[in-house]
Amino acid sequence: MYTASSSVTAPSRPLRPLGAGGGPYLAPHAAAPAPGAVRPRRPAGGLAGPPLSGRLDLSGAQGAQLRMAIASVHRICPEFNPVQVLRRSGRSVLLVGSTGRATAVAKCLLDHSPAWSERFQHEIAAYRAFVRHRPPVRVPRLIAADPENCTLVIERMPGRVAALTRHPSEAPPRADVRAALGAISRVNAWRPAPGLFDAPLDYASRIARYHELGLFTDRDLGDLQKLLHGVAHAGGRQGMGQFCHGDALLSNILLSPTGPVLVDWEHAGWYLPGYDLATLWTVLGDAPAARRQISQLAQASGPAARDAFLVNLMLVLTREIRTYETAVQRAMRDSASGAGQDRPGALSSSEEQRLLLRRLHDDCAMARRAVRAAVGTR
């Protein structure tokens, strides 16, 4: 495991035995753990959101930015009547409103840098492709889109979000995990028409880049290249790749009475088999039973599928570590400068990030051992 670029200090997490097959390199017939306690249901969220109410605050600098976003929406969907800000970040804003008798969600990009614009345009292209080539899962219907100005309007889907955060702090209900895995498996089995989607991830380049940054050791580089070479020459489905959502987080899955709904398709495309499973495994650190199930699914198609899953897992975990190291460093700078001291929960949030970062490092070390074991069986 590589050394963190910033010092990470956190209270020790209690050691939880993984049991047989608890890691990503799973024994095929590992016994399932005893059922855990029943968790309370999560409130509705995501694109489903709360009932429409309230009004928009268009005052100040943020209000001016919001007015520009609404104007962009009205250029492509004049009947859209904004009611609430559903989600807002420095890069985009999500508005919920009505279009006639139906409710809709408008997504507008605020950061028009080339990388974010390209990602947004990729999402628009995915929703346009779904108009004629329906995927085997429910997705929001496209209402209007403007790739040049990075504005998208889609229908608002009913349901509750499967998780409110990227890394849930408690194990989701088994029924929710089962529904999410079922939806992801159907997406992965889908073969869209040629030319609709590309391959968003260049594996060889990403591995080489992480090695240059010191995130992968020389041995990591050699091991992952060996697994890549083996997967590429495996033939069959594993050799051709697998269609993936590309950001298969529980926070991107709405659970409705008529079935799961997948949103946020900006990373959709062709990956090595198991990319979506690796993403789910990574964010379910407090759900060992779910991880065991994911690992079993990843290995079900044989050694090539297992190796592809492990390559994906190393890349996804390393990406998450980079993301949360940056967040921890930012929190430390804010703490040193006094910024954020008047924000409720700022300290606890920083502590949670440190704990998460420690867990991600532990997971990466476990995945690294699984990669080396897989190389040893080739």
Side-chain angles (χ1 to χ4, degrees):
M1 182 171 62
Y2 72 89
T3 304
S5 57
S6 61
S7 60
V8 181
T9 57
S12 300
R13 292 171 64 94
L15 294 178
R16 295 175 298 186
L18 291 172
Y25 193 41
L26 182 69
H29 302 292
V38 176
R39 302 289 186 180
R41 284 297 199 189
R42 289 163 174 75
L47 293 184
L52 295 178
S53 62
R55 64 177 185 177
L56 297 173
D57 182 6
L58 301 178
S59 61
Q62 289 193 342
Q65 197 175 50
L66 200 56
R67 287 195 297 272
M68 292 178 61
I70 294 172
S72 296
V73 175
H74 283 160
R75 280 195 291 269
I76 60 172
C77 189
E79 67 273 21
F80 181 79
N81 178 33
V83 177
Q84 287 180 337
V85 175
L86 195 59
R87 189 174 68 220
R88 184 173 191 158
S89 68
R91 298 188 178 98
S92 64
V93 61
L94 223 59
L95 299 167
V96 62
S98 60
T99 54
R101 295 183 178 181
T103 54
V105 172
K107 184 176 181 180
C108 304
L109 191 65
L110 303 177
D111 178 357
H112 286 267
S113 60
W116 287 104
S117 295
E118 181 180 356
R119 183 179 298 181
F120 200 101
Q121 290 161 1
H122 185 90
E123 183 175 13
I124 290 176
Y127 279 111
R128 284 180 168 174
F130 294 156
V131 173
R132 290 192 175 185
H133 303 270
R134 299 297 297 177
V137 294
R138 297 185 67 208
V139 299
R141 177 178 59 87
L142 175 66
I143 297 175
D146 181 358
E148 184 176 350
N149 291 309
C150 295
T151 305
L152 173 67
V153 184
I154 56 178
E155 69 173 321
R156 188 188 194 219
M157 304 295 287
R160 59 180 178 85
V161 71
L164 297 176
T165 59
R166 185 178 185 90
H167 292 263
S169 58
E170 60 181 24
R174 288 190 176 186
D176 291 1
V177 174
R178 184 166 57 249
L181 281 175
I184 292 300
S185 296
R186 290 193 295 275
V187 169
N188 296 159
W190 187 43
R191 309 297 291 183
L196 284 180
F197 295 93
D198 57 10
L201 177 59
D202 184 330
Y203 281 87
S205 297
R206 181 66 60 85
I207 291 171
R209 181 186 175 202
Y210 282 171
H211 178 251
E212 291 172 0
L213 293 173
L215 307 179
F216 286 160
T217 65
D218 292 344
R219 182 170 180 179
D220 292 334
L221 177 66
D223 287 347
L224 291 173
Q225 287 176 338
K226 288 177 183 176
L227 293 186
L228 268 184
H229 180 79
V231 171
H233 289 80
R237 183 178 173 185
Q238 283 77 25
M240 291 187 294
Q242 181 183 73
F243 182 77
C244 293
H245 177 277
D247 199 19
L249 308 170
L250 291 179
S251 54
N252 286 334
I253 301 175
L254 302 178
L255 302 175
S256 72
T258 55
V261 181
L262 270 62
V263 299
D264 288 351
W265 290 85
E266 59 192 30
H267 300 283
W270 295 95
Y271 294 80
L272 288 182
Y275 187 86
D276 284 342
L277 293 179
T279 301
L280 273 177
W281 192 97
T282 296
V283 300
L284 287 174
D286 289 299
R291 280 188 161 184
R292 201 170 353 257
Q293 185 179 1
I294 291 168
S295 299
Q296 289 171 332
L297 284 174
Q299 294 185 85
S301 298
R306 174 205 65 191
D307 294 351
F309 171 72
L310 291 175
V311 172
N312 285 319
L313 192 59
M314 283 292 291
L315 292 179
V316 172
L317 283 166
T318 304
R319 180 198 66 200
E320 292 294 296
I321 287 173
R322 292 188 71 201
T323 298
Y324 283 93
E325 278 191 343
T326 301
V328 169
Q329 289 170 350
R330 185 183 301 115
M332 293 173 65
R333 288 196 299 268
D334 288 347
S335 176
S337 63
Q341 290 183 357
D342 55 348
R343 294 201 308 267
L347 182 59
S348 62
S349 175
S350 174
E351 190 67 17
E352 288 173 0
Q353 289 174 346
R354 293 189 182 96
L355 288 170
L356 174 58
L357 186 55
R358 170 170 289 189
R359 193 262 291 169
L360 289 170
H361 276 290
D362 291 343
D363 288 345
C364 195
M366 181 166 53
R368 177 174 284 109
R369 291 192 296 270
V371 166
R372 293 176 180 176
V375 169
T377 65
R378 297 196 66 81

